[in-house]
Amino acid sequence: MKTDFKEEWKHLNPYQMEAVLDESPSCVVNANVGSGKTTVLIAKILYLHYEKSVPLEEMVVLTFTNKAADEIIGRLRKKENGLSGEQVRGFGTFHSVALHLLKNQLPVEQMGWNREFTVISPDEEADLAAEVIAAQKLKVKYKNRLKKRLEQEYQGYLRGKESSRYKDDLFLLYPLLEAEKKQQNKMSFSDLLRVCTKLLLAGRTGNSVSEKEMSYTREGRTKELPGEYGEKPASLWHPQWIIVDEVQDSDALQIEFLEALKEKDTRLFAVGDPNQVIYSWRGTGENMFYLLKHRFQAKELSLPVNYRSSASILEAANRFLQSGTGIQSSRETGEKIIVKNHYDPFQEAEYLAERIRALHDSGRAYGEIAVFYRLQKQSEILEKVFERQQIPYEVSVRKTVRDIPVLAWRTRGLRFSVNPADGQVGMDVLADPQYGEKCTRAKAKKIIQEQKRDSVLLYRRMMEFQEQEEWKKSETVPGAAEVFAYFGLKEALHPTASSYYEDEKLVLKLLEKICRYCREKDCGLIDGTREFVNRSALYGVNLLSGDGETEESDFTGNHDEIGNAIFLRDTVKLMTLHASKGLEFETVFLIGMNQGLIPLHSQSMEQEEEERRLFFVGMTRAKDELELSYYTNPGEPRVSGEYSRYLRMLPPHLLEWEELRSEGEKRSNLQQLRREVQEQIREKREQEEEKKTAVKHARHSKYGEGILVSEDEMMVEVEFAGYGRKQFLKAFGEVTIEA
């Protein structure tokens, strides 16, 4: 085994070797962009395991994306045959490790939940908060930004701040919301970390800490008070090593979780880059790297050598470096950075299509080309032009089952099936206007409160799901078709609807993933479904992964919904600067370099500094070619026709400016192109709105006026008040449908 590891470290430079071999009680590594951070992390784990004989199960490896954790585990599996899930139980995101502890080791019952709790996303927590606000008649401002407000002001509430930023009832909402989550036995992302931290601290002192006994000081540190609730957990996890990736992205809750997890003799090794802090809106600050270093009295090492980008790109990026003395390049100077002026986004899109096709014809793979922009809406014009020019592309927008109506509905149904205490999601399922029982939320609430199993088949099947004894056994996991039939989904999806076959295919694929997950985990359908829906809440579900892939490939993204998509095809990647973090491409086009766009108008020095870091991240994704462009006529409010001041900050000798084309050329065919693309965008938006809001009425001589449920070439289905759903053959002309 030791010989194997020697192969791992022969390519490491002296800085990387120093980090791998360091065994200080606490060490933070300032890893410059492209400096081999992941290589060092994996080498560190292999060194500890094979050279220092540290069992994998005595390591905690915390990452910020599921993909990063899977990459590390995948490397270990290549080294060690038969690697079990128990060995790598501590490898994952902060939230997944906290979830494992709460499900398997910590006495979560002391905090008001039980072990069968389910995890809800920030969107679902905001929905529940809105229901509590309405029920309690609270006065909470800016409800359209409730999700963000819940996240941003939570730390202040925990630390004893007296009132919210807008002096409303938000701080009255928090305890009511928590009581409702306990009642429905579900936790939010922040609950996972906060509850786990409290129970770890309680176990360390030998006491339990109740909600009332745990207080937070204004410095954000926890204070333990004498407890008398329950016993110390029988077996707590005592890791020898805690290894943290992207530590600069930690927020206060994550730092406190680390502190609670670390024993006196536990060693801490953390890697991060202060120059890549771009998520301040979720509680991350540029000083988190140094805060962690100070809190744990950590030794600091650095990885200054970049292996990704050409020397010219790095020299330009160094102008935006906010921490450190500079990034060293391991490569030659390379090509100059192109700065291109376009008349407007329409001309730019046409140019990009031509340029990308030329690059591909010369041998560059589409998958090695990316276009970055500041705002997501900038992709609309690119998409339409690329479609017309037949340039294959993908837009990096996090899309989960929540974004697909039939899968969102089915997933909620599964969540209620494994957690019938979750009345909110149960009502969502029954009252869903497209797939549910076509009842009001009030009626759905009554069915659930009174547990009227015999009144609604779907409700009875969900309530009886956990009573299926055969499905509790790992050796009798059913197939997707059997689960589909059990819930009566054929009727729920409306066989006569034009969308039926697509909906059926999607639902069967989701159910097959769940059944396969249960078989790979060697657990019954009941427990496996609960674990699957919890993981899907944390990561989303990748419906593109094939049947031959590992179960980890079913999950994509990360816990805070800022992760990158997993791309499976050779396509040009279109993405925001935020989504580009962690990726690399041979050629990068960074568009919209105008004042008011890059950078956006900032309200504070902190925001301006983050805009600069964001531009730094975008530039350093490019390996060989970087092209920056701006518009004479950006066509956006508050965006000027002046190029960004960031371009003036770049060393002139590194740039090759290509000025605006001639007046005749720049206007050639642009008006027609602009009209075509704008019309396509308008039609697309109108179609989407029609899908959301369109409600058609139909009239029958006997049943009166009803609502059209579905329609195809032969049949129509209409719901009538007092009569329920009725189906009619179009050939008989019994129903008149409004135009």
Side-chain angles (χ1 to χ4, degrees):
M1 287 297 186
K2 291 186 178 182
T3 303
D4 287 345
F5 178 69
K6 294 297 193 300
E7 291 298 312
E8 294 289 334
W9 71 15
K10 70 180 182 181
H11 301 298
L12 300 180
N13 67 34
Y15 301 104
Q16 294 170 328
M17 276 294 300
E18 183 181 11
V20 168
L21 300 178
D22 186 84
E23 295 184 40
S24 305
S26 295
C27 176
V28 293
V29 180
N30 191 331
N32 276 332
V33 61
S35 61
K37 170 179 61 66
T38 303
T39 298
V40 168
L41 277 175
I42 293 172
K44 183 79 173 184
I45 295 165
L46 295 174
Y47 169 73
L48 293 174
H49 184 50
Y50 294 122
E51 294 287 312
K52 308 302 291 186
S53 301
V54 178
L56 293 175
E57 52 267 40
E58 293 189 21
M59 296 185 204
V60 176
V61 179
L62 298 170
T63 64
F64 274 80
T65 66
N66 193 47
K67 181 183 175 185
D70 291 343
E71 182 179 352
I72 293 171
I73 293 171
R75 287 285 299 274
L76 290 172
R77 283 192 169 133
K78 290 179 182 178
K79 286 286 182 183
E80 189 158 326
N81 293 328
L83 186 69
S84 69
E86 183 62 21
Q87 285 179 281
V88 290
R89 61 182 177 172
F91 289 56
T93 64
F94 280 79
H95 295 87
S96 67
V97 171
L99 177 63
H100 173 84
L101 288 171
L102 292 170
K103 289 284 188 180
N104 298 283
Q105 292 196 30
L106 297 172
V108 68
E109 295 81 5
Q110 292 180 6
M111 300 293 287
W113 286 270
N114 68 53
R115 292 185 188 278
E116 295 183 350
F117 70 84
T118 49
V119 179
I120 59 173
S121 69
D123 288 305
E124 292 168 310
E125 184 178 30
D127 292 343
L128 182 60
E131 291 189 7
V132 173
I133 290 170
Q136 299 295 327
K137 296 181 172 56
L138 299 178
K139 295 180 180 179
V140 175
K141 298 177 182 177
Y142 306 108
K143 294 188 184 70
N144 61 323
R145 293 194 285 115
L146 184 58
K147 173 183 158 184
K148 183 171 286 190
R149 287 200 63 199
L150 285 171
E151 294 174 351
Q152 289 179 335
E153 301 206 41
Y154 190 52
Q155 285 295 319
Y157 165 76
L158 289 177
R159 292 169 184 155
K161 191 176 177 181
E162 294 181 359
S163 63
S164 70
R165 176 182 177 184
Y166 298 107
K167 311 298 181 185
D168 57 6
D169 291 340
L170 185 67
F171 282 13
L172 296 178
L173 171 64
Y174 283 123
L176 294 171
L177 178 59
E178 181 153 326
E180 191 63 35
K181 285 185 286 187
K182 290 180 180 179
Q183 179 72 25
Q184 298 189 24
N185 199 32
K186 54 192 183 184
M187 285 193 191
S188 66
F189 293 179
S190 59
D191 291 332
L192 291 174
L193 292 177
R194 183 177 54 83
V195 173
C196 194
T197 296
K198 290 183 178 183
L199 290 173
L200 285 168
L201 290 171
R204 190 142 303 143
T205 60
N207 296 312
S208 293
V209 180
S210 73
E211 286 293 309
K212 293 181 180 179
E213 290 172 321
M214 178 62 70
S215 64
Y216 286 75
T217 69
R218 293 189 181 276
E219 287 74 32
R221 307 278 296 200
T222 54
K223 180 170 63 179
E224 302 151 41
L225 303 176
E228 52 186 30
Y229 296 87
E231 300 295 329
K232 179 180 179 179
S235 174
L236 269 180
W237 200 359
H238 299 300
Q240 289 189 41
W241 279 84
I242 298 174
I243 298 172
V244 189
D245 186 20
E246 302 283 11
V247 73
Q248 80 280 351
D249 289 331
S250 302
D251 59 24
L253 279 177
Q254 289 163 333
I255 295 292
E256 288 164 2
F257 174 68
L258 276 179
E259 199 166 24
L261 195 60
K262 188 180 184 302
E263 296 276 359
K264 285 185 178 179
D265 55 351
T266 301
R267 298 180 187 275
L268 173 68
F269 181 80
V271 180
D273 182 2
N275 292 296
Q276 296 191 65
V277 177
I278 57 174
Y279 303 131
S280 63
W281 47 268
R282 58 173 289 273
T284 299
E286 61 178 304
N287 63 345
M288 277 298 176
F289 183 92
Y290 302 104
L291 175 64
L292 181 135
K293 175 186 172 184
H294 173 74
R295 182 167 293 192
F296 293 100
Q297 300 297 302
K299 175 182 179 179
E300 182 178 355
L301 298 176
S302 65
L303 302 179
V305 182
N306 177 287
Y307 291 93
R308 176 190 300 153
S309 304
S310 68
S312 58
I313 292 174
L314 290 182
E315 185 179 347
N318 275 329
R319 290 294 179 96
F320 294 84
L321 202 68
Q322 295 180 12
S323 175
T325 57
I327 307 173
Q328 302 173 22
S329 177
S330 64
R331 298 182 52 195
E332 296 179 353
T333 300
E335 301 293 328
K336 286 189 175 184
I337 298 170
I338 302 296
V339 180
K340 204 163 188 67
N341 177 206
H342 298 287
Y343 179 70
D344 63 10
F346 300 95
Q347 185 194 60
E348 176 183 64
E350 285 286 298
Y351 161 78
L352 286 173
E354 295 172 7
R355 176 83 173 101
I356 289 169
R357 180 175 285 108
L359 283 170
H360 184 258
D361 290 345
S362 68
R364 180 140 299 173
Y366 283 124
E368 285 295 337
I369 303 170
V371 182
F372 299 161
Y373 35 78
R374 184 63 181 87
L375 302 176
Q376 189 63 59
K377 65 181 179 179
Q378 290 175 260
S379 73
E380 290 182 332
I381 295 172
L382 294 171
E383 290 176 62
K384 292 305 177 185
V385 172
F386 283 18
E387 284 173 10
R388 185 161 51 79
Q389 296 281 12
Q390 297 183 321
I391 301 294
Y393 71 90
E394 286 181 85
V395 182
S396 175
V397 178
R398 178 177 168 82
K399 188 171 186 178
T400 69
V401 294
R402 185 181 173 94
D403 303 303
I404 304 172
V406 69
L407 294 182
W409 176 77
R410 182 78 302 260
T411 303
R412 287 195 293 266
L414 292 170
R415 283 182 46 198
F416 185 70
S417 299
V418 297
N419 181 18
D422 190 347
Q424 178 198 19
V425 77
M427 287 187 287
D428 289 342
V429 174
L430 296 179
D432 186 274
Q434 188 170 359
Y435 303 106
E437 294 299 318
K438 293 297 187 294
C439 59
T440 64
R441 284 188 71 83
K443 183 177 179 181
K445 184 176 183 180
K446 186 175 181 180
I447 292 171
I448 292 170
Q449 287 179 338
E450 298 179 5
Q451 297 191 11
K452 294 182 175 181
R453 293 195 184 193
D454 294 332
S455 64
V456 178
L457 175 62
L458 176 60
Y459 175 68
R460 183 169 78 247
R461 291 295 169 83
M462 291 191 295
M463 291 296 290
E464 293 175 353
F465 181 68
Q466 295 188 84
E467 299 169 10
Q468 306 302 306
E469 294 299 325
E470 284 298 301
W471 289 356
K472 295 179 181 178
K473 304 173 185 176
S474 59
E475 63 271 18
T476 56
V477 174
E482 187 176 346
V483 181
F484 187 92
Y486 168 81
F487 284 109
L489 296 180
K490 183 174 182 179
E491 293 74 19
L493 301 182
H494 315 308
T496 60
S498 59
S499 61
Y500 175 78
Y501 293 107
E502 180 63 24
D503 285 350
E504 179 190 46
K505 183 174 70 173
L506 287 169
V507 170
L508 283 171
K509 188 166 188 177
L510 176 67
L511 294 176
E512 179 52 42
K513 286 188 177 293
I514 293 174
C515 295
R516 176 162 57 89
Y517 181 84
C518 295
R519 296 185 194 104
E520 291 178 349
K521 289 292 185 180
D522 195 25
C523 64
L525 181 67
I526 311 300
D527 291 338
T529 299
R530 182 179 297 108
E531 187 173 335
F532 189 95
V533 296
N534 281 337
R535 293 197 69 180
S536 69
L538 288 174
Y539 306 123
V541 177
N542 177 18
L543 291 174
L544 297 177
S545 60
D547 293 337
E549 298 178 8
T550 61
E551 57 89 8
E552 286 87 353
S553 65
D554 287 339
F555 301 96
T556 64
N558 67 4
H559 64 274
D560 52 19
E561 299 183 323
I562 52 179
N564 303 311
I566 291 180
F567 298 107
L568 301 177
R569 293 168 289 164
D570 184 25
T571 55
V572 178
K573 309 306 184 287
L574 311 180
M575 65 184 69
T576 64
L577 286 170
H578 277 103
S580 73
K581 186 177 178 183
L583 302 178
E584 58 182 43
F585 302 93
E586 297 287 346
T587 301
V588 167
F589 297 94
L590 209 166
I591 68 174
M593 294 290 302
N594 288 70
Q595 284 295 117
L597 200 52
I598 297 180
L600 293 178
H601 295 291
S602 299
Q603 302 298 317
S604 65
M605 182 59 70
E606 289 76 16
Q607 289 180 12
E608 168 62 25
E609 289 176 349
E610 182 152 328
E611 287 292 313
R612 289 181 61 176
R613 292 195 295 270
L614 192 57
F615 180 55
F616 169 86
V617 167
M619 282 195 296
T620 54
R621 302 307 97 194
K623 295 180 184 178
D624 298 321
E625 294 179 88
L626 176 62
E627 185 169 308
L628 311 174
S629 60
Y630 66 97
Y631 316 118
T632 298
N633 179 24
E636 286 288 334
R638 301 192 69 206
V639 178
S640 75
E642 179 186 359
Y643 61 76
S644 170
R645 61 180 177 275
Y646 289 178
L647 292 179
R648 291 193 290 269
M649 295 170 63
L650 297 173
H653 70 276
L654 298 176
L655 307 180
E656 183 176 325
W657 290 74
E658 295 187 8
E659 294 299 335
L660 189 65
R661 301 178 186 182
S662 68
E663 191 70 17
E665 183 183 5
K666 74 185 180 186
R667 295 187 180 276
S668 170
N669 297 320
L670 280 182
Q671 295 299 329
Q672 180 62 29
L673 169 64
R674 188 179 298 109
R675 282 194 293 269
E676 289 177 4
V677 174
Q678 286 178 332
E679 180 63 20
Q680 290 171 345
I681 293 172
R682 185 189 63 77
E683 289 177 357
K684 180 180 178 181
R685 287 176 175 170
E686 286 181 354
Q687 289 170 2
E688 290 174 350
E689 287 300 315
E690 286 175 4
K691 289 180 182 178
K692 294 179 182 177
T693 60
V695 175
K696 286 189 176 182
H697 293 270
R699 177 167 291 279
H700 187 271
S701 58
K702 176 181 177 181
Y703 303 118
E705 186 172 309
I707 295 175
L708 182 67
V709 175
S710 63
E711 177 183 13
D712 59 24
E713 293 180 356
M714 295 181 61
M715 302 284 296
V716 292
E717 184 176 10
V718 183
E719 177 149 1
F720 300 97
Y723 295 99
R725 292 185 184 181
K726 304 290 182 181
Q727 292 182 337
F728 306 95
L729 283 168
K730 280 187 173 181
F732 293 135
E734 299 174 273
V735 178
T736 302
I737 301 172
E738 71 174 11

